[in-house]
Amino acid sequence: MAGKKVLIVYAHQEPRSLNGSLKKVAVEELSKQGCTVTVSDLYAMDFEPRTTRKDVIGALSNPEFFNYGVEAYEAFKRRCLASDITDEQKKVQEADLVIFQFPLYWFGMPAILKGWMDRVLCQGFAFDIPGFYDAGFLKNKLALLSLTTGGTAEMYTKTGVSGDFRYFLWPLQHGALHFCGFKVLAPQISFAPEIASEEERKAMVASWAQRLKTIWEEEPIDCTPPWYFGQ
C-alpha cells in the first residue's frame, strides 16, 4: 500500500539462498505497491549480537554492579545508547510493518537476530514496566515472521516428531513481539527447502509474493495461549 513503511530484518549469510530469495521478492513486491522498504541485512552489517558495556556511551548509572537491562534503559532515556542500536530503533520507529526473515535454528532465531532483539527492543524504547503486551510501545505496528525450517511440515504437526510449529512460535511471537505491543500477522513458514525440488522452492517464493499483494488487508492473529497450545 502506497505510503506504508516496511522494515525487513534479514538474517542469512547467502544471498542466493531461499531466505535471500524470499527477502528479495518481498522488497520487489512491496516497493511495487509504493511502500518504502528498508532492509537490515544483519550478516552484511556484521551486526553485534552481544549485550555489553560497549552499548552504553559514557558513564554507567551503577559502575559498581553491571546490570545490562538497567543500563540500557537509563542509556535510552539519556540518549546514550550505541549508534548501531539507535540506528535500528529509528528504522523500527518509522516502520508500519516489520518482517523478520530467517532460517529456524534450534526452534529459535539465529544468534545474530536474537542479538538484534536483545539490543534493539530495550526497555524505554519497546516497552516499559508497566507498558507491555497490549500496552507495549510498538502497539501501532505489525510484525511478521517469515522463516524456513529444516524439518518437513508433517514433522511440525501436533502428532509429528517436532510438535506443532505454533509451539516454537510462542517465545518468538508472544514473548518478544507481542510483549513489545506488536500486532502479529500469521507466520510465513517455508518448510524444508533443502529437500524440496526447484519447482517447490519457486512455489514457496511465489506464494510469499502473492500473500504480500494483500498483506495490508490481513487481520493479526489472536496472540494468546490458545492460538499456540489449543484450548
Side-chain angles (χ1 to χ4, degrees):
M1 196 193 280
K4 294 281 194 187
K5 292 198 162 118
V6 182
L7 170 62
I8 301 175
V9 186
Y10 166 69
H12 200 286
Q13 313 85 338
E14 173 53 67
R16 291 163 306 181
S17 63
L18 185 73
N19 275 272
S21 301
L22 292 165
K23 181 261 294 175
K24 186 165 174 278
V25 80
V27 172
E28 288 165 3
E29 174 53 41
L30 293 163
S31 301
K32 201 156 61 183
Q33 294 175 20
C35 299
T36 306
V37 185
T38 305
V39 178
S40 285
D41 182 342
L42 301 183
Y43 286 103
M45 292 157 68
D46 202 18
F47 188 80
E48 169 61 79
R50 295 171 299 177
T51 50
T52 68
R53 164 71 180 89
K54 293 180 192 155
D55 291 353
V56 179
I57 297 161
L60 292 174
S61 67
N62 180 359
E64 303 301 308
F65 183 93
F66 185 69
N67 178 321
Y68 183 85
V70 168
E71 295 296 345
Y73 182 36
E74 294 301 326
F76 175 79
K77 290 188 286 192
R78 295 200 316 270
R79 303 207 168 147
C80 294
L81 280 172
S83 65
D84 64 335
I85 299 176
T86 55
D87 288 350
E88 295 305 300
Q89 289 177 340
K90 189 165 182 289
K91 294 176 198 175
V92 172
Q93 200 59 65
E94 289 175 356
D96 298 295
L97 165 64
V98 183
I99 295 171
F100 297 90
Q101 180 63 60
F102 62 97
L104 193 70
Y105 283 13
W106 303 123
F107 284 17
M109 293 172 269
I112 202 164
L113 178 54
K114 176 63 163 57
W116 185 97
M117 298 255 184
D118 293 346
R119 296 177 69 229
V120 176
L121 302 179
C122 71
Q123 185 176 355
F125 170 68
F127 68 94
D128 211 335
I129 316 281
F132 53 90
Y133 286 124
D134 292 342
F137 294 170
L138 307 179
K139 59 178 172 290
N140 298 320
K141 302 179 185 301
L142 298 168
L144 192 165
L145 300 180
S146 172
L147 61 106
T148 59
T149 67
T152 60
E154 174 185 62
M155 290 166 73
Y156 283 107
T157 56
K158 277 199 167 49
T159 54
V161 68
S162 296
D164 196 289
F165 67 85
R166 294 181 184 211
Y167 302 160
F168 71 70
L169 292 172
W170 169 252
L172 313 180
Q173 291 185 168
H174 187 74
L177 300 175
H178 183 200
F179 187 87
C180 296
F182 277 113
K183 292 182 174 56
V184 180
L185 295 177
Q188 183 75 15
I189 306 181
S190 303
F191 288 102
E194 300 272 317
I195 57 170
S197 67
E198 193 54 38
E199 274 66 50
E200 288 168 323
R201 282 199 294 275
K202 284 198 172 114
M204 291 173 189
V205 176
S207 73
W208 176 223
Q210 190 59 39
R211 179 181 172 194
L212 288 168
K213 288 186 197 304
T214 55
I215 199 74
W216 303 106
E217 295 161 30
E218 289 190 17
E219 287 297 318
I221 65 163
D222 176 23
C223 199
T224 57
W227 188 88
Y228 298 88
F229 306 110
Q231 296 301 341

